[in-house]
Amino acid sequence: MSDADAPALLSDDEVRALDAHWRAANYLAVGQIYLLSNPLLTEPLRPEHVKPRLLGHWGTSPGLNLVHTHLNRVIQARDLDAICVWGPGHGGPAVVANSWLEGSYTETYPDITRDAEGMGKLFKQFSFPGGVPSHVAPETPGSIHEGGELGYALSHAYGAAFDNPDLVVACVIGDGEAETGPLAASWHGNKFLDPVNDGAVLPILHLNGYKIANPTVLARLAEGELDDLLRGYGYDPLHVTGDDPLQVHQAMAAAMDTALDRIAAFQHAARDKGATERPRWPMIVLRTPKGWTGPATVDGLPVEGTWRAHQVPLPEVRTNPAHLRQLEEWLQSYRPQELFDTGGHPREQVLSAVPGGTRRLGSNPHTNGGLLLRELPMPDLDRFAVPVDKPGATLHEPTRVLGQFLEQIMVNTAERRDFRLVGPDETASNRLQAVYDATGKAWQARTLPVDEHLDPHGRVMEILSEHTCQGWLEGYLLTGRHGLFSCYEAFVHIVDSMVNQHIKWLRTTRQLSWRRPIASLNYLLTSHVWRQDHNGFSHQDPGFIDHILNKSPEAVRVYLPPDANTLLSTADHVLRSKDYVNVIVAGKQPCFDWLDMDGARAHCARGAGIWAWAGTEDGTREPDVVLACAGDVPTLEILAAAQLLRRHLPQLSVRVVNVVDLARLLPKDEHPHGMPDPEYDALFTHDKPVIFAYHGYPWLIHRLAYRRTNHSELHVRGYKEIGTTTTPFDMVVRNDLDRYRLVMDVIDRVPGLAVSAAPVRQMMQDARQRHHDWIRVQGTDLPEVADWAWQR
Amino acid sequence: MSDADAPALLSDDEVRALDAHWRAANYLAVGQIYLLSNPLLTEPLRPEHVKPRLLGHWGTSPGLNLVHTHLNRVIQARDLDAICVWGPGHGGPAVVANSWLEGSYTETYPDITRDAEGMGKLFKQFSFPGGVPSHVAPETPGSIHEGGELGYALSHAYGAAFDNPDLVVACVIGDGEAETGPLAASWHGNKFLDPVNDGAVLPILHLNGYKIANPTVLARLAEGELDDLLRGYGYDPLHVTGDDPLQVHQAMAAAMDTALDRIAAFQHAARDKGATERPRWPMIVLRTPKGWTGPATVDGLPVEGTWRAHQVPLPEVRTNPAHLRQLEEWLQSYRPQELFDTGGHPREQVLSAVPGGTRRLGSNPHTNGGLLLRELPMPDLDRFAVPVDKPGATLHEPTRVLGQFLEQIMVNTAERRDFRLVGPDETASNRLQAVYDATGKAWQARTLPVDEHLDPHGRVMEILSEHTCQGWLEGYLLTGRHGLFSCYEAFVHIVDSMVNQHIKWLRTTRQLSWRRPIASLNYLLTSHVWRQDHNGFSHQDPGFIDHILNKSPEAVRVYLPPDANTLLSTADHVLRSKDYVNVIVAGKQPCFDWLDMDGARAHCARGAGIWAWAGTEDGTREPDVVLACAGDVPTLEILAAAQLLRRHLPQLSVRVVNVVDLARLLPKDEHPHGMPDPEYDALFTHDKPVIFAYHGYPWLIHRLAYRRTNHSELHVRGYKEIGTTTTPFDMVVRNDLDRYRLVMDVIDRVPGLAVSAAPVRQMMQDARQRHHDWIRVQGTDLPEVADWAWQR
């Protein structure tokens, strides 16, 4: 079934103008893939006009050009505030072509003028060393989405639409991308889109039928099955099908008008008439040939409409005269002389439906979110600080304390609506539920009387899909807003690859002066490796930190606040920051309060420092040993070890160092937060044993510190991938991170203690044995551990 | 709409027997969560009978128990060969309970007898230190799937069904899991399931309505929308809805019979009548209350049928007498005295529908795949080796050579059908297409005349979802077959979290003597970081190696074969191995052949070794410098650097070391492949500079080698997250891995060369400058680089 047979909507002139624009964009896309010079074909095409390395992808381009052409029309006709997320891979040539046609490209890159010379540069730079990528990318004006790794277009689109009530976010989804898990899940974004406070998302599923080498699943479904699927996802599909351009233009225009009329009607009903039923939002299914208008056959094999059109349809243009002639015919088939004047400027007809100013898709400020970003109205931290008269005397659940701070941010942004909290069904499990006093959980599906905190206008986003959470937040941040993603530590690995791409985006945009800084992507990782009492081995993985620290140092930060006030200070810092990916790992279980608010601020500002109150050094010389820690559980064990040492080996001079900002351990030239060597040496000494209790995989600390003076004396304890369902203390014992083991490490490493401290070492062995005996019978931690408290 | 109103299928006796079994399983599930002793309630329940730490999840258990009870019935009635993938999180108590009832548990763990004493142990061990996890886990008899991280149940089920024509794989999908991306994508597995050669998958979508703290999306869809969705996914849903056990038993029995009758009919049509149309396979939508039969209300709040039933519905049993009383009433509501005799044995009625022997879900050998595993019929490597008379004289595309080897494995397994190749639409892009001469790409959707290599019976699996590929392969391996996953290097990060879980599974099963070894999960990562000429920065990420090497060393292996023959040897090795995750990183671009087949075998067996033919040392003393390399591109650059050194600094004694097996760099006590220190020192010297050109992030080499004698002289070059769309040589230049930079590194590090070799250093600088000047204009690599060849 196709709606393409509807009566003609456009006049012949309108169709001709749209077609001219489409042809111009197609011409420019082919030119980018092939031409090194002779951009207007002012002379017969010769091999030396063609790039020596043919890179890029033609297949998706004509479809994207069609969508862009028709979005132009409706934006202009309706004065629409619209952006488009271009999902298909390798769509760069198309979107760049359109951006150049509308003038956005030249305004962004003045060197690429809208004339023959600029066209020549535009062609040459594509997939050329130092030029622009074949994907819609950070370099592409009007883009908030890289079409490189597939799967995230639709969640980005929803993220962009949230809290942008006047915005329409079109989103082209390739039928290749539609096979991915993240994309398949993200259709359900419509159950979370508020017709009152959010904008609209218009998905355009482009069925060109093929991926790199295979047909696509959705393009080959039985009759009606695809409609069932899309209706099951909650949409009302409008079909545009064909390979006759003039007919498709009419059908596409009609579908766009129908979709936008329905969107307007749903928004009117919700905003002005109090309708509360979830709308069945429209979407468009565009079924046109892959590589449409390209070579029908090459070397006797079908190309247009097949997977062979995916990349470079004519691969041997420089060496095969038949290919060269075919390329020239292909380019001439667009009749460039009708489209561009002799100076290479697009003719008036081509531009007749192009909108102006910031209505252009390549110039809409929502796609350069930093332009719209406002500083978050941050509450006064002291209001939420827990009082700490002395270290280790009281307990708080750090994330619960943070929840109150986040609640106030929600209150402060109630009108502005530019802050959201996302998480996979874990906001309460992660003990942030105070936010529900300020706002509810977004929910547009059915509700029952027993439900709690569901709110059609809520700004807490929960769906059991880390991919969707991440995609929503990325789309929200990229369009100039703020947010926080709370997640179980182990399962944030689910978005490893997504965060890679976001960091790559940030790294690239940092080098583009026209891209304004956006709010950082902030993770709160809790329910962490050491406290999986309920869940055991499958929920234990601290490796996201390692993953993040492999990435561009200018864009990544990792924090391990050891208590409630340091968590508050860290959260305050990251929520004010821009253009980073910040990872905070913090506990939700009751945790001793070590620092008061001022102390926490000062400690977090340094990122790593001596806790003099916990050590025994007298300041006259380097200590005998440094006990270092990073993370809440390691900090607890280090302090317990320090207390044991003070009691049993009082003559030992012990320094305790806590590290909040992990990158401080890196050399200064490897990370902006890296410590200069003298500062590192002053903390960790030149040659004394350093026993470092670390939250994650111990070798990460070595990887960060291997260049340091005292690296040979650095001994790290951490998670060794030994896990099970057990008690908190048993977990640290199994991984040799427990206080008793740490004391034994000190005795084993500090010269001269082997004999004198042998009785103490035996005492520690005995304590570990007591633990072993106790836990197997009782199933709980030893009372001496469970009831432990810091004493000075 | 519910099919639950169908006429009664079961006699009253049958219903009573099924209900008795279900009640028994429910009783045992509650007992596991709560009871430390008094398992049969032979005395009034007192606080000390209750575990001190209440862990576990009740919510999903009654639904899983219902499914298990009814699977028992149809397995017994039809002598069905069936297994079940239990998707919902925290389903451990249910599946363990059923396994104990049917006797599988006691046969697997003889200590847990099927009597009162065993029941007591069964209860105590659950979520107890050193006991069993709350998830269906490796420890659970009959499981091939950990219910910890959600999303993979259905792809595991399809993987299990492939090439198991007589097997029915039931798969319970929780409505929480159904929100994840991987699960949403995996419904489309039915477009790849061959009714002739594959078994059947019976999805059972369990809508209990809630996740941890929220309603689920699918449970709250508008009327008809869910059916549209499931039909759109290609299934024919059968509904079972209710909260009246007796009515639900009848409905469930009817739905199971209908589903199995239809499956049998489809298989008969395809196998015996030549039907080729893709069947609309049945599935069951089971809608029952969360925590069904548990406490209706606790402390005045509704619990049964809400998210509050998710975990431990009565949390204060040890301290709150009302909770204790409520627990006792709950347990007694199952009338345990009717279910178990005074010795704790299940009564006859309870077991009347339980199948016997290997038909029991907890004893089916498909769930302990190693029992069924046969060695792969490996071809003779020499038939596929490329001839190498001297190093570096010829070029081959390593993965294309491997493709021919894989083709022969496909031929050798044509009848056995126990080997599959999976990949996200990249088999041909990764140049393995020779396999199509032996088998096609599995495809059950529509075909067109233009299509190539699609085959309803094919064993190459391609879908643009790394998650689905990984899930299919895991399911296939876990049921005792073999396979290989080929993937773009950067995008394998998409399955980071899935492979974590698989490695954790392997690590655990290695400690369970009853679990037999399964074939390794083998990755071929190609289209790697250095050769993304088309794709640029978004496709550049070598970090999967780092991710893998964080995991349990007994289960992970990483190989970087530098040419075609070493790739063959490595592939041969990993395809014979068991219980590992093997990662091979290899190129698909033309690459010099360095080693002949015998040399490749010997080199790969060592894992790392001196390439004497490439160096200049005379054997009388340690060389002046070691040039080490791992990976195809770094090997090329190191050899080019060695050649430059030989020409320009002939007096320098140079050793070239190539590393194939990365774990060899680790100390012996940190990885089974780790080199003893003397061996490492013999390769890398005690104090000479080592210039190490590495495929990935350079700090990984430091993390592996930081304990070695000569670590302070180890200088690593690798990928520094500097990427773009450019030429192959420009990529290595930008990351300081190029031959010229490596020669400069040698000059900078070898004592005494600073002055004498200054002219050579300048020559290298000039060569780099020549590259810079050339590439900006020409867009290709310098001829001296593009045409370089090894010369001795």
Side-chain angles (χ1 to χ4, degrees), chain A residues 52-56 90 124 127-129 133-135 146 148-149 176 179-181 184-185 188 191 210-217 219-221 225 228-229 231-234 278 280 306-308 311 425 441 443 445-448 450-452 454 462-465 467 491 493-494 496-497 500-501 504 507-508 533-535 537-541 546-547 550-552 697 699 702-703 706 711 719 721 725-727 775-780, chain B residues 52-56 90 124 127-129 133-135 146 148-149 176 179-181 184-185 188 191-192 210-216 219-221 225 228-229 231-234 278 280 302 306-308 311 425 441 443 445-448 450-452 454 462-465 467 491 493-494 496-497 500-501 504 507-508 533-535 537-541 546-547 550-552 697 699 702-703 706 711 719 721 725-727 775-780:
Chain A
R53 297 165 74 238
L54 293 177
L55 306 170
H90 303 285
K124 181 182 169 185
S127 282
F128 200 82
S134 74
H135 305 278
E146 154 93 39
E149 180 172 315
E179 292 178 13
T180 67
H188 290 297
K191 283 87 192 177
Y210 293 91
K211 297 166 286 193
I212 304 180
N214 280 294
T216 60
V217 170
R220 297 294 179 90
L221 293 187
E225 213 167 299
D228 282 344
L229 182 65
R231 276 199 287 265
Y233 276 132
R278 171 165 59 90
R280 185 171 281 270
T306 81
W307 72 95
R308 294 191 191 91
Q311 211 176 61
D425 190 34
K441 295 181 274 196
W443 188 258
R446 280 192 300 142
T447 56
L448 295 176
V450 74
D451 294 335
E452 286 186 352
L454 301 184
E462 297 210 327
I463 184 169
L464 212 165
S465 164
H467 293 112
F491 298 149
H493 272 304
I494 290 171
D496 272 4
S497 207
N500 278 356
Q501 297 299 332
K504 284 173 184 282
R507 175 159 185 282
T508 305
D533 315 10
H534 279 265
N535 297 304
F537 195 35
S538 66
H539 286 50
Q540 290 163 345
D541 189 311
D546 304 56
H547 181 72
N550 267 346
K551 296 289 150 190
S552 306
Y697 296 115
W699 37 84
H702 288 289
R703 166 263 199 265
Y706 69 83
H711 178 248
Y719 181 68
E721 202 66 19
T725 309
T726 190
T727 68
I775 197 166
R776 265 180 297 177
V777 178
Q778 303 291 334
T780 59
Chain B
R53 297 164 75 237
L54 293 177
L55 306 170
H90 302 284
K124 180 181 170 185
S127 282
F128 200 82
S134 74
H135 305 278
E146 154 91 40
E149 179 171 314
E179 293 178 12
T180 67
H188 290 297
K191 282 84 189 178
F192 300 84
Y210 293 91
K211 297 166 285 194
I212 304 179
N214 280 294
T216 60
R220 298 293 179 90
L221 293 188
E225 213 167 298
D228 283 344
L229 183 65
R231 277 198 287 264
Y233 276 131
R278 170 165 59 90
R280 187 172 278 272
T306 81
W307 75 95
R308 294 191 192 93
Q311 211 176 60
D425 189 34
K441 295 181 272 195
W443 188 258
R446 280 190 302 142
T447 57
L448 295 177
V450 74
D451 295 334
E452 286 185 350
L454 301 184
E462 296 211 328
I463 185 170
L464 213 165
S465 164
H467 293 111
F491 299 148
H493 272 303
I494 290 170
D496 272 4
S497 208
N500 279 355
Q501 296 300 332
K504 284 174 183 281
R507 177 160 184 281
T508 305
D533 315 9
H534 280 264
N535 297 303
F537 195 35
S538 65
H539 286 51
Q540 292 163 344
D541 188 312
D546 305 57
H547 181 72
N550 268 345
K551 296 290 150 188
S552 306
Y697 296 115
W699 37 86
H702 288 290
R703 165 265 200 263
Y706 69 83
H711 177 250
Y719 181 68
E721 202 67 18
T725 309
T726 190
T727 67
I775 197 165
R776 265 180 299 177
V777 178
Q778 303 290 335
T780 58

Side-chain angles (χ1 to χ4, degrees), chain B residues 67-68 71-72 75 82-84 86 102 104 141-143 355 357-364 367:
Chain B
V67 172
H68 205 298
L71 284 173
N72 281 350
I75 290 169
I83 66 173
C84 186
W86 306 95
E102 71 181 20
S104 298
S143 175
T358 57
R359 289 302 195 224
R360 291 171 298 173
L361 286 171
S363 295
N364 191 305
T367 63

Side-chain angles (χ1 to χ4, degrees), chain A residues 20-281:
Chain A
H21 185 274
W22 182 54
R23 285 187 285 124
N26 286 340
Y27 181 86
L28 294 168
V30 183
Q32 289 176 76
I33 294 172
Y34 282 100
L35 298 184
L36 194 60
S37 58
N38 190 18
L40 283 166
L41 297 182
T42 44
E43 49 182 321
L45 198 61
R46 295 196 307 275
E48 59 268 32
H49 298 147
V50 175
K51 298 185 181 186
R53 297 165 74 238
L54 293 177
L55 306 170
H57 292 66
W58 163 247
T60 191
S61 295
L64 296 185
N65 286 335
L66 187 90
V67 171
H68 204 298
T69 297
H70 282 264
L71 284 173
N72 281 349
R73 184 188 77 85
V74 292
I75 290 169
Q76 189 197 58
R78 295 167 185 251
D79 190 28
L80 210 61
D81 192 8
I83 66 174
C84 187
V85 174
W86 306 95
H90 303 285
V95 181
V96 166
N98 280 279
S99 172
W100 185 84
L101 282 173
E102 71 181 19
S104 297
Y105 207 87
T106 302
E107 288 166 32
T108 309
Y109 301 103
D111 191 42
I112 310 290
T113 45
R114 195 155 55 154
D115 55 20
E117 190 191 342
M119 193 191 293
K121 290 180 182 169
L122 186 83
F123 288 1
K124 181 182 169 185
Q125 70 170 8
F126 174 78
S127 282
F128 200 82
V132 303
S134 74
H135 305 278
V136 181
E139 292 90 341
T140 315
S143 175
I144 59 163
H145 175 84
E146 154 93 39
E149 180 172 315
L150 303 176
Y152 319 129
L154 192 53
S155 56
H156 283 168
Y158 274 98
F162 294 143
D163 294 325
N164 265 329
D166 298 325
L167 190 67
V168 171
V169 185
C171 177
V172 187
I173 301 155
D175 46 356
E177 177 169 27
E179 292 178 13
T180 67
L183 199 291
S186 63
W187 292 104
H188 290 297
N190 54 10
K191 283 87 192 177
F192 300 85
L193 187 88
D194 174 9
V196 176
N197 294 295
D198 299 334
V201 173
L202 176 60
I204 301 170
L205 176 62
H206 187 207
L207 300 179
N208 71 21
Y210 293 91
K211 297 166 286 193
I212 304 180
N214 280 294
T216 60
V217 170
L218 294 193
R220 297 294 179 90
L221 293 187
E223 191 73 28
E225 213 167 299
L226 179 66
D227 272 5
D228 282 344
L229 182 65
L230 299 173
R231 276 199 287 265
Y233 276 132
Y235 298 86
D236 188 3
L238 300 162
H239 289 265
V240 177
T241 302
D243 59 6
D244 171 356
L246 302 189
Q247 169 251 318
V248 171
H249 286 308
Q250 289 285 2
M252 190 68 174
M256 286 251 180
D257 276 356
T258 302
L260 291 167
D261 287 349
R262 289 186 189 167
I263 286 170
F266 286 134
Q267 290 178 338
H268 176 64
R271 296 174 188 182
D272 304 323
K273 301 193 167 175
T276 57
E277 202 184 348
R278 171 165 59 90
R280 185 171 281 270
W281 297 100

